[in-house]
Amino acid sequence: MKKRTMAVLFTVVLLLLGVQMTVFADGEFEYEVSESGAVCVKKYKGDSEKAEIPEKTDDGYVTVILSESFKEKENLKSLVIPESMEIIEENAFEGCGNRKDVYFKGSVEKWESIVKESKGNESFLKADVHFESTGEEMKENEFFEYIVNGDKEVVIRKGRNDYKENTKITFPSKIDEKAVTAIADGAFEGCKNLCEISFENGIKTIGQNAFRNCSELKKISLPDSVEKIGRGAFDNTAFYNKSAEGSIYISKWYCGCKGDMSKEVDVRIQRGTKGIADYSFYGNPNIVNVFFTKGIKYIGDSAFGECKSLSGIFFEGTKSEWKEIKMGFGNDNIIEKNIRYNMTIDNYWADMYKDLSTTLLVIMGILIVALIYCVAKIIVLNRMVSYLDEELSKKPLPKPRPKRKPAENKRQPPKKRD
């Protein structure tokens, strides 16, 4: 309390001096109050594995996490973020690579709007995100437990472990006159005897690992209202395990790839696809080109994150149609400047062949010109040789000079002396 009083006195002095920012510490956090009155997390001073940002301080609700607030807090594995949070600035969690869980006390939709604008925090914010109840207490029916969140919407939180053999569940669009909008992370993970699920229109979000390891789940039907499917939502189900190797589609959603994708350099999203689940292609180093068809509405969080070789993005629609697609965070490599519009796989290859044909024609033209040049050169040289021969044949050749006999080398006998 004494420290808090001193901080307030210090703040008053700063204000008198004309300083516009108020900085104070409270517990494990250091805060800053902006000119607009927003309370911002400036620095996390703790070093524990778990931390919780309070919803409110004496100066008001905490709404912003400033850049580098949690920089290189490698021990931090779990963080609770209040519903009041509105902005997470760039690189706020730089160097937080050992993250495991993020607990957000608001709605799924609000979280998505926050992280969509948050850059440089993927290493932390791609952790398992859990949404806590901010409304009514946990309730249950014959098939599952559920809560009513802060937006007065029903979130199905947990299935049962004692389903009878061949259990089928149809998830309703409303419970107690409130819209059912989400299946929470891991809600039905490992539920035995669950063999078939379907949804009335209205469900928007299916959380990560929601039906993972449901070994008897062989039939899945998704409605058009679905806007997001979390990472691994249907992994290791009977539906997944019995599917052929390659791309896994559920209703109108691409939900991942089964088997080896090491040789698949081009990804072709099939016609009629409405969305791509979170992390569907994450970290694949071999993807070079992706072809999107018209009608796609959602591309999940980090669906193409860390795809280092991805260079070609082709969309058969227009630029304005592309902008209408809801894009999850962690897809910075799918940016507008890299996209080729009005392009399908067919006209892509047609263009490739056209470019190749043009190149071959240019090469052939160069070779033909070179050949013509060489032939012309040879003809000219032949004519020059013929001309010289004709000219030389017109003039008589000079008679050769007679060869001079070499002088005889006769030695004179020596004179006799008297």
Side-chain angles (χ1 to χ4, degrees):
M1 186 67 183
K2 187 176 180 180
K3 290 182 178 179
R4 177 68 174 153
T5 303
M6 292 297 293
V8 172
L9 291 173
F10 181 67
T11 299
V12 172
V13 172
L14 290 176
L15 289 173
L16 290 173
L17 292 173
V19 178
Q20 299 298 318
M21 291 290 183
T22 302
V23 179
F24 63 89
D26 191 356
E28 294 183 317
F29 294 94
E30 184 176 293
Y31 302 93
E32 177 180 287
V33 181
S34 68
E35 293 181 23
S36 63
V39 178
C40 313
V41 176
K42 182 178 177 63
K43 186 177 182 180
Y44 172 60
K45 301 184 297 180
D47 198 32
S48 60
E49 292 186 356
K50 297 181 179 180
E52 179 173 356
I53 299 173
E55 183 175 38
K56 192 177 182 180
T57 69
D58 291 345
D59 292 85
Y61 287 95
V62 180
T63 59
V64 181
I65 300 176
L66 296 177
S67 179
E68 300 186 353
S69 299
F70 292 82
K71 185 176 181 180
E72 296 181 355
K73 292 294 181 179
E74 297 180 356
N75 292 334
L76 185 63
K77 296 181 179 179
S78 177
L79 179 66
V80 179
I81 298 176
E83 185 181 12
S84 59
M85 194 61 61
E86 296 178 358
I87 299 171
I88 299 176
E89 290 191 350
E90 292 186 9
N91 303 314
F93 295 95
E94 183 182 349
C96 295
N98 296 325
R99 81 289 170 274
K100 286 187 177 179
D101 297 283
V102 173
Y103 297 87
F104 183 59
K105 292 187 176 182
S107 67
V108 175
E109 290 76 13
K110 185 174 182 180
W111 176 254
E112 289 178 354
S113 67
I114 292 172
V115 297
K116 187 174 182 179
E117 301 299 327
S118 181
K119 308 296 183 184
N121 297 307
E122 288 78 7
S123 62
F124 189 84
L125 298 179
K126 70 184 180 185
D128 292 344
V129 181
H130 310 276
F131 299 92
E132 296 187 351
S133 172
T134 58
E136 300 177 15
E137 63 183 8
M138 189 81 73
K139 298 181 179 182
E140 63 179 308
N141 65 10
E142 180 185 359
F143 295 109
F144 49 77
E145 298 176 357
Y146 63 93
I147 63 166
V148 179
N149 65 18
D151 294 330
K152 303 301 180 183
E153 296 173 337
V154 174
V155 177
I156 297 172
R157 294 300 300 270
K158 190 176 181 181
R160 305 179 69 91
N161 293 320
D162 57 351
Y163 291 125
K164 295 178 181 179
E165 190 174 353
N166 295 323
T167 295
K168 301 177 182 179
I169 299 179
T170 298
F171 295 96
S173 60
K174 288 187 177 182
I175 296 177
D176 300 331
E177 299 302 317
K178 295 179 176 62
V180 178
T181 59
I183 308 293
D185 296 343
F188 293 84
E189 186 172 3
C191 287
K192 297 179 180 178
N193 296 325
L194 182 60
C195 72
E196 183 177 332
I197 59 171
S198 59
F199 301 81
E200 292 181 0
N201 205 45
I203 194 79
K204 295 179 181 179
T205 302
I206 298 175
Q208 59 187 356
N209 302 324
F211 295 93
R212 185 184 179 89
N213 296 329
C214 292
S215 56
E216 300 299 318
L217 182 57
K218 56 189 175 184
K219 189 173 181 180
I220 305 165
S221 180
L222 302 176
D224 287 339
S225 58
V226 173
E227 297 180 359
K228 181 180 177 65
I229 296 179
R231 185 178 191 175
F234 301 102
D235 283 2
N236 201 29
T237 59
F239 177 92
Y240 181 92
N241 294 333
K242 291 180 180 180
S243 297
E245 288 197 356
S247 297
I248 304 293
Y249 286 88
I250 300 177
S251 296
K252 296 180 180 180
W253 279 80
Y254 182 100
C255 292
C257 181
K258 180 181 177 182
D260 185 16
M261 277 190 71
S262 62
K263 297 180 181 179
E264 187 172 354
V265 295
D266 291 340
V267 173
R268 308 172 189 180
I269 304 302
Q270 72 180 20
R271 192 168 298 283
T273 300
K274 185 178 181 180
I276 299 173
D278 294 354
Y279 291 84
S280 292
F281 301 95
Y282 181 82
N284 191 304
N286 301 300
I287 297 174
V288 177
N289 299 313
V290 181
F291 297 87
F292 295 98
T293 58
K294 278 185 178 181
I296 192 165
K297 300 295 183 184
Y298 310 97
I299 297 177
D301 298 341
S302 293
F304 295 94
E306 300 299 323
C307 292
K308 303 294 187 182
S309 300
L310 180 57
S311 58
I313 299 99
F314 304 89
F315 180 54
E316 71 173 5
T318 63
K319 185 175 181 179
S320 59
E321 288 173 325
W322 177 264
K323 288 184 176 181
E324 293 176 0
I325 298 173
K326 187 177 180 181
M327 188 77 65
F329 71 85
N331 291 303
D332 294 342
N333 51 348
I334 305 180
I335 54 179
E336 189 173 308
K337 67 180 181 180
N338 289 337
I339 300 170
R340 293 180 64 181
Y341 300 102
N342 302 307
M343 180 69 68
T344 64
I345 185 67
D346 295 328
N347 55 29
Y348 167 75
W349 285 113
D351 283 356
M352 288 285 288
Y353 289 131
K354 183 179 178 181
D355 293 341
L356 181 60
S357 300
T358 302
T359 303
L360 289 174
L361 286 173
V362 171
I363 293 172
M364 288 178 63
I366 293 171
L367 291 175
I368 290 170
V369 170
L371 180 61
I372 292 171
Y373 174 80
C374 292
V375 171
K377 193 83 170 177
I378 292 170
I379 292 172
V380 170
L381 289 174
N382 284 336
R383 287 185 177 179
M384 289 179 67
V385 171
S386 299
Y387 175 77
L388 291 173
D389 287 342
E390 290 176 2
E391 291 296 320
L392 291 174
S393 63
K394 292 177 182 178
K395 296 180 179 181
L397 294 174
K399 292 181 179 181
R401 293 182 179 182
K403 293 183 179 180
R404 295 175 65 182
K405 292 182 179 182
E408 294 182 2
N409 187 15
K410 293 181 180 182
R411 297 181 65 182
Q412 298 292 329
K415 293 180 179 181
K416 291 182 178 181
R417 294 181 178 180
D418 292 337

